[in-house]
Amino acid sequence: MNLFADEAVIECQAGKGGNGCISFRREKYIPRGGPNGGDGGKGGDVIFICKRNVKTLANIRFKHFFRAKAGGDGQGWNKYGRDGEDITIAVPPGTAIRDFETNEIIKEFTTESEDEQFILLHGGNGGWGNVHFKTPTNQAPRIANKGQPGEERKVRLELSIMADIGLVGFPNAGKSTLLDAFTNARPKIAPYPFTTKIPNLGVLRADAERDVIIADIPGIIEGASEGKGLGIQFLKHISRTQGLLFMIDCSDDECFSAYKTLCSELEGFSKELLEKPHIVLCNKIDVEGAQERADKVAAEIKKTEKDTVVLPVSVAAHIGMNEIRLSILKLVTELEEKKEAETIEPPVNKFLASRSVDEDAEIQFPGSEN
């Protein structure tokens, strides 16, 4: 049974506020006791919380409707009604909450959002009891407010797996074996195609302070970008990755055409995917004739992609594993440094941005007055 779910449409309703109470003091020797009706309690909120240990939207997908508790009604002796209990919906990092009607993104949880809470809907306020309506001319008001209704909204939840590197390849190319060898993931591995039916995430330990998240998606087949096979359902999960890791089965005579087909399918789904920096692994070189095919694949790729790293490896036989690890870490490090550099504004720009400068005037930098 496939328990992975990356989309869900749900209706949410915050709790209604409790009604205010109409009540009067009724005590011996105290005639005409004044009003003492308490206020109603506030309705519960609808809250989303991002949890790293939640990996899918399957726990949400089939429920459809989420409603917080209503607030309790006020009581005599100025007793407030109890506030309604909030309803909390746990979602994994990478989840976007969209308005069902407009498709507008309301909230997006990232890998840094662990344990972050977001109140989607607020519960209704409780109604005032009759104690609030006492006036000099109306000492015994028989008036109280009803609780306000809670907010309602229909939303679509979309999950995009958050990873640094995305593994792509044809079925049975060895992606799951690599993920199992390098990370703490334990994907299903078997000597037949399509053993991977859901995305798997693994953590490659870079050093004591940094991890690299690797995502393995179901094998792509020709026509995947048009909806064939399993891969199309999950290609969006590698759209946020920093780079890609192509796995080519060089025990197959059609290994180079396989690489071109993978590139074509990625481009058909999104040109941005093909523009991502990538490493090509020519796998299964321990099989007879595979090393020669890997050399040819590398030579062909280098004709048009001089900067692309191509590695002949055998994941099953543990050949070239250290080279793979070092190449992945180098790629991620370079991409992170590039991203960091792009976010740092040059000092001169900061200086100019802080002043109103006449384009025709001579610019005087600090320390150059003389």
Side-chain angles (χ1 to χ4, degrees):
M1 182 178 179
N2 187 351
L3 296 179
F4 184 84
D6 57 7
E7 289 189 1
V9 176
I10 60 174
E11 294 184 58
C12 302
Q13 183 179 42
K16 173 185 175 296
N19 297 323
C21 175
I22 299 176
S23 176
F24 300 92
R25 294 179 62 185
R26 292 293 184 264
E27 299 176 76
K28 193 176 183 180
Y29 307 121
I30 303 180
R32 295 188 295 275
N36 68 354
D39 300 342
K42 176 184 173 298
D45 299 332
V46 177
I47 302 174
F48 284 84
I49 182 169
C50 181
K51 288 291 186 182
R52 187 176 297 276
N53 61 341
V54 178
K55 304 297 183 183
T56 173
L57 299 177
N59 60 322
I60 299 171
R61 187 175 186 178
F62 301 107
K63 190 171 180 181
H64 302 305
F65 196 86
F66 291 82
R67 177 187 289 141
K69 298 290 185 181
D73 293 339
Q75 301 179 38
W77 297 103
N78 296 316
K79 292 181 180 178
Y80 285 15
R82 179 178 295 176
D83 287 345
E85 185 178 344
D86 300 331
I87 187 168
T88 303
I89 305 171
V91 296
T95 300
I97 306 173
R98 293 180 178 270
D99 183 272
F100 182 77
E101 300 295 336
T102 66
N103 207 38
E104 174 191 1
I105 293 181
I106 304 168
K107 174 65 178 178
E108 193 167 13
F109 293 102
T110 66
T111 51
E112 289 76 33
S113 302
E114 186 175 4
D115 293 327
E116 178 185 348
Q117 295 191 16
F118 171 70
I119 301 177
L120 175 69
L121 302 175
H122 292 273
N125 291 325
W128 280 358
N130 67 337
V131 69
H132 294 281
F133 297 94
K134 180 180 177 180
T135 66
T137 57
N138 185 3
Q139 296 290 306
R142 296 185 175 274
I143 304 171
N145 289 142
K146 291 185 176 181
Q148 296 179 344
E151 297 175 334
E152 297 182 54
R153 199 165 191 176
K154 190 174 183 179
V155 296
R156 181 190 304 276
L157 306 180
E158 297 179 353
L159 170 63
S160 293
I161 287 175
M162 308 293 289
D164 298 303
I165 297 292
L167 264 172
V168 293
F170 281 145
N172 210 33
K175 303 188 306 300
S176 296
T177 305
L178 178 68
L179 197 69
D180 180 63
F182 264 159
T183 75
N184 59 351
R186 292 296 177 264
K188 181 179 179 181
I189 300 172
Y192 51 83
F194 294 115
T195 52
T196 300
K197 294 183 172 61
I198 65 173
N200 290 304
L201 286 183
V203 179
L204 173 62
R205 176 53 56 95
D207 50 47
E209 299 180 352
R210 187 175 59 128
D211 294 326
V212 175
I213 310 299
I214 301 177
D216 171 25
I217 65 170
I220 300 171
I221 65 171
E222 188 170 359
S225 60
E226 300 172 359
K228 295 181 181 179
L230 297 172
I232 183 63
Q233 302 175 42
F234 305 112
L235 279 174
K236 66 181 180 182
H237 291 300
I238 58 173
S239 62
R240 291 184 177 181
T241 59
Q242 299 186 63
L244 300 177
L245 200 61
F246 284 81
M247 182 74 79
I248 307 298
D249 181 1
C250 286
S251 66
D252 187 349
D253 291 333
E254 305 297 325
C255 52
F256 184 70
S257 63
Y259 176 70
K260 292 192 291 186
T261 301
L262 286 172
C263 291
S264 176
E265 294 303 327
L266 292 183
E267 186 177 25
F269 181 80
S270 171
K271 290 185 178 180
E272 293 180 358
L273 278 180
L274 197 58
E275 293 172 357
K276 290 181 180 292
H278 54 270
I279 299 169
V280 180
L281 303 182
C282 296
N283 193 26
K284 303 185 183 180
I285 60 169
D286 56 316
V287 177
E288 185 179 354
Q291 179 67 66
E292 291 74 14
R293 297 188 192 97
D295 293 338
K296 291 180 180 179
V297 169
E300 289 294 328
I301 293 175
K302 288 295 183 178
K303 289 180 180 179
T304 55
E305 303 176 29
K306 294 182 180 180
D307 296 329
T308 298
V309 176
V310 184
L311 299 175
V313 301
S314 174
V315 178
H318 297 280
I319 300 173
M321 298 299 285
N322 191 53
E323 287 77 4
I324 299 174
R325 181 179 182 277
L326 293 176
S327 296
I328 292 174
L329 298 182
K330 181 181 178 183
L331 176 62
V332 172
T333 300
E334 290 175 349
L335 292 173
E336 288 177 348
E337 290 175 350
K338 180 181 178 181
K339 184 177 180 181
E340 185 177 347
E342 290 174 348
T343 59
I344 298 176
E345 193 175 5
V348 173
N349 288 351
K350 288 184 179 180
F351 170 72
L352 295 178
S354 65
R355 304 183 56 170
S356 177
V357 180
D358 184 348
E359 293 182 358
D360 297 326
E362 183 180 354
I363 300 175
Q364 294 290 329
F365 290 92
S368 63
E369 291 81 357
N370 298 325

Short mmCIF file of all heavy atoms in Angstrom, two decimals, residues 12-15 42-50 68 84-89 91 97 106-109 115-124 150-153 155 157:
data_model
loop_
_atom_site.label_atom_id
_atom_site.label_comp_id
_atom_site.label_asym_id
_atom_site.label_seq_id
_atom_site.Cartn_x
_atom_site.Cartn_y
_atom_site.Cartn_z
N CYS A 12 -11.16 23.74 6.59
CA CYS A 12 -10.85 24.02 7.99
C CYS A 12 -11.85 25.01 8.55
O CYS A 12 -12.28 25.94 7.86
CB CYS A 12 -9.43 24.60 8.12
SG CYS A 12 -8.13 23.53 7.47
N GLN A 13 -12.20 24.81 9.80
CA GLN A 13 -13.13 25.72 10.48
C GLN A 13 -12.68 25.93 11.91
O GLN A 13 -12.50 24.97 12.67
CB GLN A 13 -14.55 25.16 10.45
CG GLN A 13 -15.58 26.10 11.08
CD GLN A 13 -16.98 25.54 11.02
OE1 GLN A 13 -17.20 24.36 11.25
NE2 GLN A 13 -17.95 26.39 10.70
N ALA A 14 -12.48 27.19 12.27
CA ALA A 14 -12.14 27.52 13.65
C ALA A 14 -13.41 27.42 14.50
O ALA A 14 -14.53 27.46 13.99
CB ALA A 14 -11.54 28.91 13.73
N GLY A 15 -13.22 27.31 15.80
CA GLY A 15 -14.35 27.12 16.70
C GLY A 15 -15.19 28.38 16.89
O GLY A 15 -14.68 29.50 16.87
N LYS A 42 -13.65 31.85 24.08
CA LYS A 42 -13.21 32.01 22.70
C LYS A 42 -13.16 30.65 22.00
O LYS A 42 -12.81 29.63 22.60
CB LYS A 42 -11.82 32.65 22.67
CG LYS A 42 -11.20 32.78 21.29
CD LYS A 42 -9.80 33.33 21.37
CE LYS A 42 -9.10 33.31 20.02
NZ LYS A 42 -8.95 31.95 19.48
N GLY A 43 -13.49 30.62 20.72
CA GLY A 43 -13.41 29.39 19.94
C GLY A 43 -11.97 29.02 19.65
O GLY A 43 -11.07 29.88 19.63
N GLY A 44 -11.71 27.74 19.44
CA GLY A 44 -10.35 27.27 19.17
C GLY A 44 -9.85 27.70 17.79
O GLY A 44 -10.64 27.90 16.86
N ASP A 45 -8.52 27.82 17.65
CA ASP A 45 -7.90 28.18 16.38
C ASP A 45 -7.53 26.93 15.59
O ASP A 45 -7.40 25.84 16.13
CB ASP A 45 -6.62 28.99 16.63
CG ASP A 45 -6.89 30.30 17.37
OD1 ASP A 45 -8.00 30.85 17.22
OD2 ASP A 45 -5.98 30.77 18.08
N VAL A 46 -7.32 27.12 14.29
CA VAL A 46 -6.77 26.06 13.43
C VAL A 46 -5.30 26.40 13.22
O VAL A 46 -4.96 27.43 12.63
CB VAL A 46 -7.50 25.97 12.08
CG1 VAL A 46 -6.84 24.92 11.19
CG2 VAL A 46 -8.97 25.64 12.29
N ILE A 47 -4.41 25.52 13.70
CA ILE A 47 -2.98 25.80 13.72
C ILE A 47 -2.22 24.72 12.95
O ILE A 47 -2.46 23.52 13.14
CB ILE A 47 -2.45 25.84 15.17
CG1 ILE A 47 -3.21 26.91 15.97
CG2 ILE A 47 -0.96 26.10 15.19
CD1 ILE A 47 -2.85 26.93 17.45
N PHE A 48 -1.32 25.14 12.08
CA PHE A 48 -0.40 24.22 11.40
C PHE A 48 0.95 24.29 12.10
O PHE A 48 1.41 25.36 12.47
CB PHE A 48 -0.25 24.60 9.93
CG PHE A 48 -1.42 24.21 9.07
CD1 PHE A 48 -2.54 25.02 8.99
CD2 PHE A 48 -1.41 23.02 8.36
CE1 PHE A 48 -3.62 24.66 8.21
CE2 PHE A 48 -2.48 22.65 7.57
CZ PHE A 48 -3.59 23.47 7.50
N ILE A 49 1.58 23.13 12.25
CA ILE A 49 2.90 23.07 12.86
C ILE A 49 3.80 22.20 11.98
O ILE A 49 3.39 21.16 11.49
CB ILE A 49 2.84 22.53 14.30
CG1 ILE A 49 4.24 22.53 14.93
CG2 ILE A 49 2.21 21.15 14.36
CD1 ILE A 49 4.24 22.27 16.42
N CYS A 50 5.02 22.68 11.75
CA CYS A 50 5.98 21.96 10.90
C CYS A 50 6.79 20.98 11.75
O CYS A 50 7.43 21.38 12.71
CB CYS A 50 6.90 22.97 10.22
SG CYS A 50 8.12 22.23 9.12
N ALA A 68 -11.96 23.07 14.84
CA ALA A 68 -11.56 23.30 16.22
C ALA A 68 -12.80 23.32 17.11
O ALA A 68 -13.93 23.48 16.64
CB ALA A 68 -10.81 24.63 16.32
N GLY A 84 -12.35 27.26 23.63
CA GLY A 84 -12.37 26.05 22.81
C GLY A 84 -10.96 25.53 22.56
O GLY A 84 -10.00 26.31 22.45
N GLU A 85 -10.83 24.25 22.43
CA GLU A 85 -9.52 23.63 22.19
C GLU A 85 -9.09 23.85 20.74
O GLU A 85 -9.86 23.66 19.80
CB GLU A 85 -9.59 22.13 22.49
CG GLU A 85 -8.27 21.40 22.39
CD GLU A 85 -8.41 19.93 22.74
OE1 GLU A 85 -9.42 19.55 23.34
OE2 GLU A 85 -7.49 19.16 22.39
N ASP A 86 -7.83 24.28 20.55
CA ASP A 86 -7.28 24.45 19.20
C ASP A 86 -7.13 23.09 18.53
O ASP A 86 -6.99 22.06 19.19
CB ASP A 86 -5.91 25.12 19.25
CG ASP A 86 -5.94 26.51 19.88
OD1 ASP A 86 -6.98 27.16 19.78
OD2 ASP A 86 -4.91 26.92 20.47
N ILE A 87 -7.15 23.09 17.20
CA ILE A 87 -6.81 21.87 16.46
C ILE A 87 -5.47 22.12 15.77
O ILE A 87 -5.27 23.15 15.12
CB ILE A 87 -7.90 21.48 15.45
CG1 ILE A 87 -7.57 20.13 14.83
CG2 ILE A 87 -8.11 22.54 14.37
CD1 ILE A 87 -8.71 19.52 14.04
N THR A 88 -4.54 21.20 15.96
CA THR A 88 -3.19 21.33 15.41
C THR A 88 -2.98 20.31 14.30
O THR A 88 -3.23 19.12 14.50
CB THR A 88 -2.13 21.14 16.51
OG1 THR A 88 -2.36 22.10 17.55
CG2 THR A 88 -0.74 21.34 15.94
N ILE A 89 -2.52 20.77 13.15
CA ILE A 89 -2.29 19.91 11.99
C ILE A 89 -0.79 19.88 11.71
O ILE A 89 -0.19 20.92 11.41
CB ILE A 89 -3.05 20.43 10.76
CG1 ILE A 89 -4.55 20.58 11.09
CG2 ILE A 89 -2.86 19.50 9.57
CD1 ILE A 89 -5.35 21.28 10.00
N VAL A 91 2.53 19.07 9.60
CA VAL A 91 2.92 18.92 8.20
C VAL A 91 4.45 18.84 8.12
O VAL A 91 5.15 19.34 9.00
CB VAL A 91 2.41 20.09 7.33
CG1 VAL A 91 0.89 20.11 7.29
CG2 VAL A 91 2.94 21.42 7.85
N ILE A 97 0.90 25.97 1.93
CA ILE A 97 -0.55 26.07 2.11
C ILE A 97 -1.07 27.09 1.12
O ILE A 97 -0.65 28.25 1.13
CB ILE A 97 -0.90 26.51 3.55
CG1 ILE A 97 -0.24 25.59 4.58
CG2 ILE A 97 -2.41 26.53 3.75
CD1 ILE A 97 -0.41 26.05 6.02
N ILE A 106 -0.44 30.91 1.06
CA ILE A 106 -0.73 31.54 2.36
C ILE A 106 0.48 31.41 3.27
O ILE A 106 0.85 32.34 3.98
CB ILE A 106 -1.96 30.88 3.01
CG1 ILE A 106 -3.17 30.95 2.09
CG2 ILE A 106 -2.26 31.52 4.36
CD1 ILE A 106 -4.33 30.08 2.53
N LYS A 107 1.11 30.23 3.27
CA LYS A 107 2.25 29.96 4.13
C LYS A 107 3.08 28.85 3.52
O LYS A 107 2.54 27.90 2.95
CB LYS A 107 1.78 29.55 5.54
CG LYS A 107 2.88 29.11 6.49
CD LYS A 107 3.84 30.24 6.82
CE LYS A 107 4.90 29.78 7.82
NZ LYS A 107 5.88 30.84 8.13
N GLU A 108 4.40 28.97 3.66
CA GLU A 108 5.30 27.95 3.15
C GLU A 108 6.30 27.59 4.24
O GLU A 108 6.97 28.46 4.79
CB GLU A 108 6.02 28.45 1.90
CG GLU A 108 6.72 27.37 1.12
CD GLU A 108 7.14 27.85 -0.27
OE1 GLU A 108 7.12 29.08 -0.51
OE2 GLU A 108 7.50 27.02 -1.10
N PHE A 109 6.39 26.31 4.56
CA PHE A 109 7.32 25.84 5.58
C PHE A 109 8.59 25.33 4.91
O PHE A 109 8.53 24.56 3.95
CB PHE A 109 6.70 24.71 6.41
CG PHE A 109 5.53 25.14 7.26
CD1 PHE A 109 4.24 24.86 6.87
CD2 PHE A 109 5.74 25.82 8.44
CE1 PHE A 109 3.16 25.25 7.64
CE2 PHE A 109 4.67 26.22 9.24
CZ PHE A 109 3.38 25.93 8.84
N ASP A 115 9.11 22.92 14.06
CA ASP A 115 8.33 23.32 15.25
C ASP A 115 7.72 24.71 15.12
O ASP A 115 7.13 25.22 16.09
CB ASP A 115 9.19 23.26 16.53
CG ASP A 115 9.58 21.82 16.88
OD1 ASP A 115 8.78 20.91 16.61
OD2 ASP A 115 10.68 21.62 17.42
N GLU A 116 7.82 25.32 13.95
CA GLU A 116 7.16 26.61 13.74
C GLU A 116 5.64 26.41 13.66
O GLU A 116 5.16 25.49 13.01
CB GLU A 116 7.65 27.28 12.46
CG GLU A 116 6.98 28.61 12.17
CD GLU A 116 7.37 29.23 10.84
OE1 GLU A 116 8.35 28.73 10.24
OE2 GLU A 116 6.72 30.18 10.40
N GLN A 117 4.90 27.28 14.32
CA GLN A 117 3.45 27.20 14.30
C GLN A 117 2.88 28.37 13.51
O GLN A 117 3.40 29.48 13.56
CB GLN A 117 2.89 27.20 15.72
CG GLN A 117 3.27 25.98 16.54
CD GLN A 117 2.49 25.87 17.84
OE1 GLN A 117 1.48 26.52 18.02
NE2 GLN A 117 2.96 25.03 18.74
N PHE A 118 1.81 28.08 12.77
CA PHE A 118 1.15 29.11 11.97
C PHE A 118 -0.35 29.01 12.20
O PHE A 118 -0.95 27.95 11.97
CB PHE A 118 1.49 28.93 10.49
CG PHE A 118 0.68 29.83 9.58
CD1 PHE A 118 0.90 31.19 9.55
CD2 PHE A 118 -0.31 29.30 8.76
CE1 PHE A 118 0.16 32.02 8.72
CE2 PHE A 118 -1.05 30.11 7.92
CZ PHE A 118 -0.81 31.48 7.90
N ILE A 119 -0.94 30.09 12.66
CA ILE A 119 -2.40 30.10 12.88
C ILE A 119 -3.08 30.45 11.57
O ILE A 119 -2.99 31.59 11.09
CB ILE A 119 -2.78 31.11 13.99
CG1 ILE A 119 -2.10 30.75 15.30
CG2 ILE A 119 -4.30 31.13 14.17
CD1 ILE A 119 -2.36 31.75 16.43
N LEU A 120 -3.73 29.48 10.98
CA LEU A 120 -4.43 29.71 9.72
C LEU A 120 -5.76 30.41 9.96
O LEU A 120 -6.10 31.37 9.27
CB LEU A 120 -4.67 28.38 9.00
CG LEU A 120 -5.49 28.47 7.72
CD1 LEU A 120 -4.71 29.20 6.63
CD2 LEU A 120 -5.89 27.08 7.22
N LEU A 121 -6.52 29.94 10.95
CA LEU A 121 -7.84 30.49 11.22
C LEU A 121 -7.98 30.78 12.71
O LEU A 121 -7.55 30.00 13.55
CB LEU A 121 -8.93 29.50 10.79
CG LEU A 121 -8.93 29.07 9.32
CD1 LEU A 121 -9.97 28.01 9.08
CD2 LEU A 121 -9.16 30.27 8.40
N HIS A 122 -8.62 31.89 13.01
CA HIS A 122 -8.83 32.28 14.41
C HIS A 122 -10.26 31.93 14.83
O HIS A 122 -11.22 32.11 14.07
CB HIS A 122 -8.60 33.78 14.59
CG HIS A 122 -7.18 34.20 14.40
ND1 HIS A 122 -6.25 34.18 15.41
CD2 HIS A 122 -6.52 34.62 13.28
CE1 HIS A 122 -5.08 34.59 14.95
NE2 HIS A 122 -5.21 34.86 13.67
N GLY A 123 -10.37 31.46 16.07
CA GLY A 123 -11.68 31.15 16.60
C GLY A 123 -12.48 32.40 16.90
O GLY A 123 -11.91 33.49 17.10
N GLY A 124 -13.81 32.27 16.93
CA GLY A 124 -14.67 33.42 17.21
C GLY A 124 -14.58 33.86 18.66
O GLY A 124 -14.33 33.05 19.55
N GLY A 150 -16.43 31.06 14.06
CA GLY A 150 -15.02 30.96 13.73
C GLY A 150 -14.79 31.12 12.23
O GLY A 150 -15.71 30.96 11.42
N GLU A 151 -13.57 31.43 11.85
CA GLU A 151 -13.23 31.59 10.44
C GLU A 151 -13.24 30.23 9.73
O GLU A 151 -12.96 29.19 10.33
CB GLU A 151 -11.86 32.23 10.30
CG GLU A 151 -11.77 33.64 10.88
CD GLU A 151 -10.37 34.21 10.85
OE1 GLU A 151 -9.41 33.41 10.85
OE2 GLU A 151 -10.22 35.44 10.82
N GLU A 152 -13.55 30.25 8.44
CA GLU A 152 -13.57 29.02 7.64
C GLU A 152 -12.74 29.25 6.37
O GLU A 152 -12.69 30.36 5.84
CB GLU A 152 -14.99 28.64 7.24
CG GLU A 152 -15.92 28.32 8.39
CD GLU A 152 -17.29 27.90 7.90
OE1 GLU A 152 -17.37 26.96 7.07
OE2 GLU A 152 -18.29 28.52 8.32
N ARG A 153 -12.11 28.18 5.90
CA ARG A 153 -11.34 28.31 4.67
C ARG A 153 -11.04 26.93 4.10
O ARG A 153 -10.78 25.99 4.83
CB ARG A 153 -10.02 29.03 4.93
CG ARG A 153 -9.36 29.61 3.68
CD ARG A 153 -8.29 30.60 4.05
NE ARG A 153 -7.82 31.37 2.91
CZ ARG A 153 -6.93 32.35 3.00
NH1 ARG A 153 -6.42 32.69 4.18
NH2 ARG A 153 -6.55 33.02 1.92
N VAL A 155 -8.40 24.92 1.79
CA VAL A 155 -7.01 25.10 1.36
C VAL A 155 -6.49 23.85 0.68
O VAL A 155 -7.00 22.75 0.87
CB VAL A 155 -6.09 25.46 2.56
CG1 VAL A 155 -6.48 26.78 3.16
CG2 VAL A 155 -6.11 24.35 3.61
N LEU A 157 -2.93 21.73 0.27
CA LEU A 157 -1.58 21.52 0.79
C LEU A 157 -0.74 20.84 -0.27
O LEU A 157 -1.17 19.84 -0.86
CB LEU A 157 -1.61 20.67 2.06
CG LEU A 157 -2.53 21.15 3.20
CD1 LEU A 157 -2.44 20.20 4.37
CD2 LEU A 157 -2.16 22.55 3.63
#
